[in-house]
Amino acid sequence: MAIGSLTTAAVTKERAEQYKGRVTPYVIIACIVAATGGSLFGYDIGISGGVTSMDDFLKEFFPTVYRQKMHAHENNYCKYDNQGLAAFTSSLYIAGLVASLVASPITQKYGRRASIIGGGISFLIGSALNASAVNLVMLIIGRVMLGVGIGFGNQAIPLYLSEMAPTHLRGGLNMMFQVATTFGIFTANMVNFGTQNIKPWGWRLSLGLAAVPALLMTIGGIFLPETPNSLIERGSKERGRKLLEKIRGTSEVDAEFQDMVDASELANSIKHPFSNILERRYRPELVMAIVMPTSQILTGINSILFYAPVLFQSMGFGGDASLYSSALTGGVLAFSTFISIATVDKLGRRVLLISGGIQMIICQIIVAIILGIKFGDNQELSKSYSILVVVVVCLFVVEFGWSWGPLGWTVPSEIFPLEIRSAGQSITVAANLLFTFIIAQAFLALLCSFKFGIFLFFAAWITLMTIFVFLFLPETKGIPIEEMTFMWKKHWFWKLILSDNTL
């Protein structure tokens, strides 16, 4: 078994060295344009929390929450606990979950661009409905359309980036999706900061401006080239070869082209990828498709970003100060992603995930201790402790931004063989959105029940997932995307699972 592992490692490394080419401006521009779709996801995360803390929005759609908020002696942790308000935030994610599964066959049959364009159009419709909503039903329908857009976009864009990028820079270019996501969050926070003073329709402007990233994604999708992998998979080998030569800047692409052809032949022989991914030979990929995105959400990051204004208001910040604080966390997240881009293809995925996990655990525990000792049911934090909480939350966001934030998407998108790639990415997106939905729906109730313990709850999950990465995730740095299968066969644990399926 040891000799087989060494041979596999040597073959994989040798094959990677046969891949020729350079980073061309063409591929960089294509990746940047495609990645703008991530701003849809980010904008919605950032906009939702800000809008749900605006009085005019609450008075129009959630008067009960508004009355709770205005009450003089309410429980600090429970003032926003309302399932209708949580449903507004989380309805998008259950719609996205269903849409991501529907997107899989479309992405495989019609290409990555088709899903990107379809997602952009759906998001445009959703933003228009939300901005013009006159009742809660219209608001929720708009959220569902936004969810469909996110489901399609999140399914196709990470695949697109992984397939277009050269092997040695795949991690960095794939993270353009996360850069766009974090930029969308920051932009949304700044929009909320500006629209909160526009009475009484500022919230409509916040929700309606979601049309801007949707338009960018739709137009970008129209002009983007398809990926060589997708063209070859759908039978256009000559077009795929020419595009591969163009994006690699060389005609010496025989090794990479042959790997794509071999992968496409296997992919086309499989008629039911969702059934096949359940087979034992794909067990490592299936586990990672579920665990990585689920762990990303269980860091608690989306709860902090969704409800940052609400959270900070609960701690005693004024309305303006709470939105300003959440804008600060959005800016910090956007900045920190560039750290990951600069280091991921040098240090590798595992180093960033494990070190980021350890530091996030420390930050969650610190916040829990401060709130547990200094923040009671009917009192506000002192100014100095409030500032300290914001600083530690920002540190937490930085650590997430260069570890689990981008890598929660990057690692799954690069590990699937072509025959299950579309199905695998759909499962990744579905798992991400399912747990986003669960946490978004439950967070306000958990905050009310657990109080400061909510941060210890997330710290416990981060501890588990950091141990999981240490034990079960092999390093994917520098391995060609169509050669990734060999990686699992030399891992101490997965080779035992795959021993009966060695090709």
Side-chain angles (χ1 to χ4, degrees):
M1 187 64 73
I3 293 174
S5 298
L6 290 173
T7 303
T8 299
V11 169
T12 304
K13 183 177 180 181
E14 186 177 307
R15 192 61 172 172
E17 291 172 351
Q18 293 177 22
Y19 281 30
K20 305 296 181 183
R22 55 189 172 82
V23 183
T24 60
Y26 188 77
V27 77
I28 291 176
I29 291 171
C31 286
I32 290 173
V33 172
T36 57
S39 61
L40 273 68
F41 194 32
Y43 188 86
D44 183 79
I45 290 172
I47 217 71
S48 298
V51 166
T52 53
S53 71
M54 293 182 185
D55 289 346
D56 291 321
F57 176 80
L58 293 175
K59 281 189 283 187
E60 178 118 8
F61 297 104
F62 304 100
T64 303
V65 178
Y66 177 72
R67 287 192 294 272
Q68 285 177 225
K69 179 183 175 183
M70 293 296 105
H71 199 276
H73 301 291
E74 75 279 29
N75 183 316
N76 277 319
Y77 290 102
C78 300
K79 65 171 76 174
Y80 290 96
D81 182 18
N82 179 274
Q83 287 302 302
L85 183 60
F88 162 76
T89 300
S90 58
S91 58
L92 177 149
Y93 301 100
I94 204 71
L97 186 161
V98 175
S100 68
L101 299 176
V102 173
S104 175
I106 294 174
T107 302
Q108 186 170 15
K109 187 174 182 179
Y110 299 104
R112 287 42 169 158
R113 289 175 63 244
S115 286
I116 293 173
I117 295 168
I121 293 171
S122 178
F123 208 89
L124 274 171
I125 296 171
S127 60
L129 286 171
N130 274 177
S132 58
V134 294
N135 54 49
L136 186 57
V137 172
M138 192 172 174
L139 198 68
I140 297 296
I141 292 173
R143 295 287 292 173
V144 168
M145 293 303 297
L146 295 179
V148 172
I150 285 176
F152 272 79
N154 285 15
Q155 197 276 343
I157 293 170
L159 286 187
Y160 185 94
L161 297 174
S162 285
E163 291 179 344
M164 289 291 282
T167 297
H168 65 290
L169 287 178
R170 188 178 60 242
L173 286 177
N174 194 294
M175 284 181 183
M176 295 304 298
F177 179 77
Q178 181 68 11
V179 170
T181 301
T182 57
F183 181 74
I185 292 170
F186 176 69
T187 302
N189 286 330
M190 298 312 296
V191 167
N192 280 336
F193 189 64
T195 59
Q196 63 174 323
N197 295 318
I198 302 176
K199 309 290 184 180
W201 51 270
W203 62 270
R204 293 188 185 275
L205 184 59
S206 288
L207 295 177
L209 284 175
V212 175
L215 198 59
L216 290 174
M217 177 172 161
T218 306
I219 295 173
I222 292 171
F223 291 102
L224 282 175
E226 190 53 85
T227 69
N229 311 64
S230 180
L231 288 172
I232 294 168
E233 183 183 15
R234 290 181 287 134
S236 301
K237 291 184 181 179
E238 281 303 311
R239 286 178 60 201
R241 170 90 191 207
K242 288 179 181 178
L243 179 59
L244 184 60
E245 291 176 357
K246 186 174 184 179
I247 65 176
R248 298 293 180 254
T250 179
S251 59
E252 298 179 31
V253 294
D254 291 342
E256 188 171 5
F257 177 72
Q258 189 57 49
D259 283 346
M260 289 181 184
V261 171
D262 292 343
S264 70
E265 290 174 354
L266 178 58
N268 289 327
S269 71
I270 292 176
K271 302 303 180 185
H272 304 288
F274 278 105
S275 299
N276 279 80
I277 202 172
L278 299 176
E279 293 179 5
R280 187 172 179 177
R281 58 179 167 155
Y282 299 123
R283 194 60 43 80
E285 291 92 340
L286 179 61
V287 170
M288 294 302 163
I290 296 170
V291 172
M292 293 300 293
T294 300
S295 297
Q296 184 195 58
I297 299 306
L298 290 173
T299 60
I301 186 66
N302 278 11
S303 298
I304 289 173
L305 296 176
F306 280 151
Y307 298 112
V310 170
L311 201 59
F312 289 135
Q313 277 193 10
S314 293
M315 292 175 191
F317 287 78
D320 290 357
S322 69
L323 283 170
Y324 184 78
S325 299
S326 61
L328 175 63
T329 58
V332 165
L333 179 60
F335 167 77
S336 63
T337 307
F338 288 98
I339 300 174
S340 191
I341 289 176
T343 57
V344 67
D345 288 310
K346 296 177 182 176
L347 300 178
R349 284 63 161 158
R350 281 170 53 86
V351 170
L352 297 184
L353 287 168
I354 293 170
S355 58
I358 292 170
Q359 292 172 57
M360 284 192 290
I361 293 166
I362 294 170
C363 287
Q364 294 274 29
I365 291 173
I366 291 173
V367 172
I369 291 172
I370 293 172
L371 297 184
I373 296 174
K374 297 293 183 179
F375 188 53
D377 281 350
N378 296 296
Q379 66 187 72
E380 293 185 355
L381 281 178
S382 66
K383 185 176 180 180
S384 59
Y385 278 108
S386 295
I387 292 171
L388 180 58
V389 167
V390 172
V391 169
V392 177
V393 166
C394 284
L395 287 174
F396 171 85
V397 169
V398 167
E399 290 140 12
F400 175 86
W402 55 256
S403 60
W404 281 90
L407 290 170
W409 291 109
T410 297
V411 171
S413 72
E414 66 184 0
I415 63 174
F416 302 116
L418 186 60
E419 65 267 22
I420 60 164
R421 189 168 297 156
S422 185
Q425 184 64 19
S426 287
I427 291 172
T428 297
V429 176
N432 180 284
L433 294 176
L434 173 62
F435 277 86
T436 302
F437 169 78
I438 291 170
I439 296 299
Q441 192 70 22
F443 177 73
L444 293 175
L446 288 173
L447 180 64
C448 183
S449 300
F450 287 5
K451 300 180 171 57
F452 65 89
I454 188 71
F455 295 95
L456 297 177
F457 171 80
F458 288 125
W461 280 110
I462 300 171
T463 302
L464 291 175
M465 67 199 213
T466 303
I467 294 171
F468 175 87
V469 168
F470 180 77
L471 293 176
F472 301 115
L473 179 66
E475 182 54 65
T476 59
K477 179 186 72 172
I479 300 176
I481 192 169
E482 303 300 354
E483 297 288 310
M484 204 67 72
T485 306
F486 295 114
M487 170 188 69
W488 305 108
K489 295 176 182 177
K490 62 188 180 72
H491 184 269
W492 74 271
F493 177 77
W494 296 117
K495 68 182 179 183
L496 302 176
I497 303 296
L498 300 172
S499 58
D500 293 336
N501 295 286
T502 303
L503 298 178

